[in-house]
Short mmCIF file of all heavy atoms in Angstrom, two decimals:
data_model
loop_
_atom_site.label_atom_id
_atom_site.label_comp_id
_atom_site.label_asym_id
_atom_site.label_seq_id
_atom_site.Cartn_x
_atom_site.Cartn_y
_atom_site.Cartn_z
N GLN A 238 -11.03 45.66 -65.75
CA GLN A 238 -12.20 45.28 -65.10
C GLN A 238 -13.11 46.44 -64.61
O GLN A 238 -14.10 46.24 -63.97
CB GLN A 238 -11.98 44.39 -63.77
CG GLN A 238 -11.28 43.07 -64.11
CD GLN A 238 -11.15 42.22 -62.90
OE1 GLN A 238 -11.56 42.66 -61.85
NE2 GLN A 238 -10.60 41.01 -63.08
N SER A 239 -12.63 47.73 -64.97
CA SER A 239 -13.42 48.88 -64.45
C SER A 239 -14.63 49.12 -65.39
O SER A 239 -15.80 48.98 -65.02
CB SER A 239 -12.47 50.07 -64.38
OG SER A 239 -11.98 50.39 -65.62
N GLY A 240 -14.29 49.50 -66.60
CA GLY A 240 -15.40 49.79 -67.60
C GLY A 240 -16.37 50.78 -67.20
O GLY A 240 -16.05 51.79 -66.62
N GLU A 241 -17.60 50.59 -67.56
CA GLU A 241 -18.68 51.60 -67.26
C GLU A 241 -19.19 51.52 -65.88
O GLU A 241 -19.80 52.40 -65.38
CB GLU A 241 -19.83 51.33 -68.27
CG GLU A 241 -19.50 51.60 -69.71
CD GLU A 241 -20.63 51.36 -70.65
OE1 GLU A 241 -21.71 50.91 -70.12
OE2 GLU A 241 -20.48 51.53 -71.75
N ASN A 242 -18.85 50.46 -65.17
CA ASN A 242 -19.33 50.32 -63.83
C ASN A 242 -18.53 51.13 -62.81
O ASN A 242 -18.91 51.32 -61.66
CB ASN A 242 -19.26 48.88 -63.29
CG ASN A 242 -20.15 47.94 -64.12
OD1 ASN A 242 -21.23 48.38 -64.53
ND2 ASN A 242 -19.69 46.71 -64.37
N ALA A 243 -17.48 51.74 -63.27
CA ALA A 243 -16.61 52.55 -62.31
C ALA A 243 -16.92 54.09 -62.48
O ALA A 243 -16.05 54.91 -62.00
CB ALA A 243 -15.10 52.34 -62.78
N ASP A 244 -18.05 54.42 -63.10
CA ASP A 244 -18.43 55.79 -63.22
C ASP A 244 -18.64 56.42 -61.81
O ASP A 244 -18.32 57.55 -61.64
CB ASP A 244 -19.71 55.95 -64.10
CG ASP A 244 -19.35 55.58 -65.51
OD1 ASP A 244 -18.21 55.61 -65.86
OD2 ASP A 244 -20.31 55.30 -66.26
N ALA A 245 -19.19 55.62 -60.93
CA ALA A 245 -19.46 56.27 -59.58
C ALA A 245 -18.14 56.56 -58.92
O ALA A 245 -18.08 57.55 -58.20
CB ALA A 245 -20.30 55.22 -58.71
N ASP A 246 -17.08 55.73 -59.10
CA ASP A 246 -15.84 55.95 -58.45
C ASP A 246 -15.09 57.17 -59.14
O ASP A 246 -14.29 57.77 -58.57
CB ASP A 246 -14.96 54.71 -58.52
CG ASP A 246 -15.58 53.58 -57.69
OD1 ASP A 246 -16.39 53.91 -56.86
OD2 ASP A 246 -15.30 52.45 -58.03
N ASP A 247 -15.38 57.37 -60.43
CA ASP A 247 -14.66 58.40 -61.21
C ASP A 247 -15.05 59.81 -60.63
O ASP A 247 -14.40 60.80 -60.98
CB ASP A 247 -14.97 58.29 -62.64
CG ASP A 247 -14.38 57.01 -63.28
OD1 ASP A 247 -13.40 56.48 -62.57
OD2 ASP A 247 -14.79 56.62 -64.30
N ASP A 248 -16.20 59.91 -59.98
CA ASP A 248 -16.64 61.25 -59.57
C ASP A 248 -15.65 61.79 -58.51
O ASP A 248 -15.52 63.03 -58.29
CB ASP A 248 -18.02 61.14 -58.94
CG ASP A 248 -19.08 60.83 -59.97
OD1 ASP A 248 -18.76 61.07 -61.12
OD2 ASP A 248 -20.16 60.32 -59.70
N ASP A 249 -15.02 60.90 -57.75
CA ASP A 249 -14.11 61.36 -56.81
C ASP A 249 -12.79 61.76 -57.34
O ASP A 249 -11.85 62.15 -56.56
CB ASP A 249 -13.90 60.23 -55.74
CG ASP A 249 -15.21 59.87 -55.05
OD1 ASP A 249 -16.07 60.76 -55.00
OD2 ASP A 249 -15.35 58.76 -54.53
N GLY A 250 -12.55 61.58 -58.58
CA GLY A 250 -11.23 61.93 -59.15
C GLY A 250 -10.55 60.61 -59.52
O GLY A 250 -10.99 59.51 -59.39
N GLY A 251 -9.25 60.74 -59.95
CA GLY A 251 -8.53 59.61 -60.38
C GLY A 251 -8.64 59.37 -61.87
O GLY A 251 -9.07 60.16 -62.56
N TYR A 252 -8.35 58.14 -62.29
CA TYR A 252 -8.41 57.78 -63.69
C TYR A 252 -8.94 56.42 -63.86
O TYR A 252 -8.93 55.56 -63.05
CB TYR A 252 -7.07 57.94 -64.33
CG TYR A 252 -6.12 56.92 -63.89
CD1 TYR A 252 -5.92 55.71 -64.54
CD2 TYR A 252 -5.28 57.20 -62.80
CE1 TYR A 252 -5.09 54.80 -64.13
CE2 TYR A 252 -4.38 56.23 -62.34
CZ TYR A 252 -4.21 55.05 -63.00
OH TYR A 252 -3.31 54.10 -62.60
N SER A 253 -9.58 56.20 -65.04
CA SER A 253 -10.10 54.88 -65.32
C SER A 253 -10.06 54.74 -66.81
O SER A 253 -10.14 55.78 -67.62
CB SER A 253 -11.50 54.62 -64.78
OG SER A 253 -12.37 55.55 -65.45
N TYR A 254 -9.99 53.54 -67.34
CA TYR A 254 -10.02 53.29 -68.78
C TYR A 254 -11.53 53.04 -69.20
O TYR A 254 -12.24 52.29 -68.54
CB TYR A 254 -9.20 52.03 -69.11
CG TYR A 254 -7.78 52.17 -68.75
CD1 TYR A 254 -7.19 51.78 -67.60
CD2 TYR A 254 -6.93 52.75 -69.75
CE1 TYR A 254 -5.87 51.86 -67.38
CE2 TYR A 254 -5.55 52.93 -69.52
CZ TYR A 254 -5.07 52.46 -68.32
OH TYR A 254 -3.77 52.61 -68.04
N SER A 255 -11.83 53.64 -70.28
CA SER A 255 -13.19 53.34 -70.88
C SER A 255 -12.98 52.83 -72.25
O SER A 255 -11.87 52.63 -72.76
CB SER A 255 -13.99 54.67 -70.95
OG SER A 255 -13.31 55.63 -71.71
N SER A 256 -14.13 52.50 -72.94
CA SER A 256 -14.03 51.83 -74.19
C SER A 256 -13.65 52.81 -75.36
O SER A 256 -13.23 52.29 -76.32
CB SER A 256 -15.39 51.24 -74.55
OG SER A 256 -16.41 52.22 -74.54
N PHE A 257 -13.76 54.09 -75.14
CA PHE A 257 -13.50 55.04 -76.26
C PHE A 257 -12.36 55.98 -75.95
O PHE A 257 -11.68 56.36 -76.81
CB PHE A 257 -14.77 55.82 -76.58
CG PHE A 257 -15.95 54.99 -77.03
CD1 PHE A 257 -16.93 54.71 -76.23
CD2 PHE A 257 -15.97 54.54 -78.34
CE1 PHE A 257 -17.94 53.87 -76.65
CE2 PHE A 257 -17.01 53.76 -78.83
CZ PHE A 257 -18.00 53.37 -77.98
N SER A 258 -12.26 56.40 -74.68
CA SER A 258 -11.27 57.39 -74.43
C SER A 258 -10.77 57.22 -72.97
O SER A 258 -11.29 56.52 -72.16
CB SER A 258 -11.88 58.81 -74.50
OG SER A 258 -12.88 58.98 -73.60
N TYR A 259 -9.63 57.90 -72.70
CA TYR A 259 -8.98 57.83 -71.36
C TYR A 259 -9.53 59.00 -70.49
O TYR A 259 -9.69 60.10 -70.98
CB TYR A 259 -7.50 58.00 -71.42
CG TYR A 259 -6.83 56.81 -72.20
CD1 TYR A 259 -6.57 56.97 -73.52
CD2 TYR A 259 -6.56 55.63 -71.46
CE1 TYR A 259 -5.93 55.84 -74.21
CE2 TYR A 259 -5.96 54.59 -72.13
CZ TYR A 259 -5.69 54.70 -73.48
OH TYR A 259 -5.08 53.64 -74.07
N ASN A 260 -9.81 58.75 -69.27
CA ASN A 260 -10.38 59.64 -68.37
C ASN A 260 -9.51 59.97 -67.22
O ASN A 260 -9.36 59.00 -66.35
CB ASN A 260 -11.73 59.16 -67.88
CG ASN A 260 -12.45 60.11 -67.03
OD1 ASN A 260 -12.05 61.27 -66.78
ND2 ASN A 260 -13.62 59.76 -66.44
N TYR A 261 -8.77 61.02 -67.01
CA TYR A 261 -7.93 61.29 -66.00
C TYR A 261 -8.43 62.42 -65.08
O TYR A 261 -7.78 62.64 -64.04
CB TYR A 261 -6.51 61.75 -66.57
CG TYR A 261 -5.81 60.67 -67.20
CD1 TYR A 261 -5.93 60.44 -68.62
CD2 TYR A 261 -4.90 59.82 -66.46
CE1 TYR A 261 -5.18 59.46 -69.20
CE2 TYR A 261 -4.25 58.83 -67.07
CZ TYR A 261 -4.40 58.69 -68.48
OH TYR A 261 -3.70 57.66 -69.07
#
Side-chain angles (χ1 to χ4, degrees):
Q238 292 187 2
S239 62
E241 298 179 356
N242 296 326
D244 292 338
D246 297 335
D247 293 340
D248 295 337
D249 298 334
Y252 66 92
S253 64
Y254 295 96
S255 60
S256 59
F257 298 100
S258 62
Y259 295 97
N260 182 6
Y261 289 93

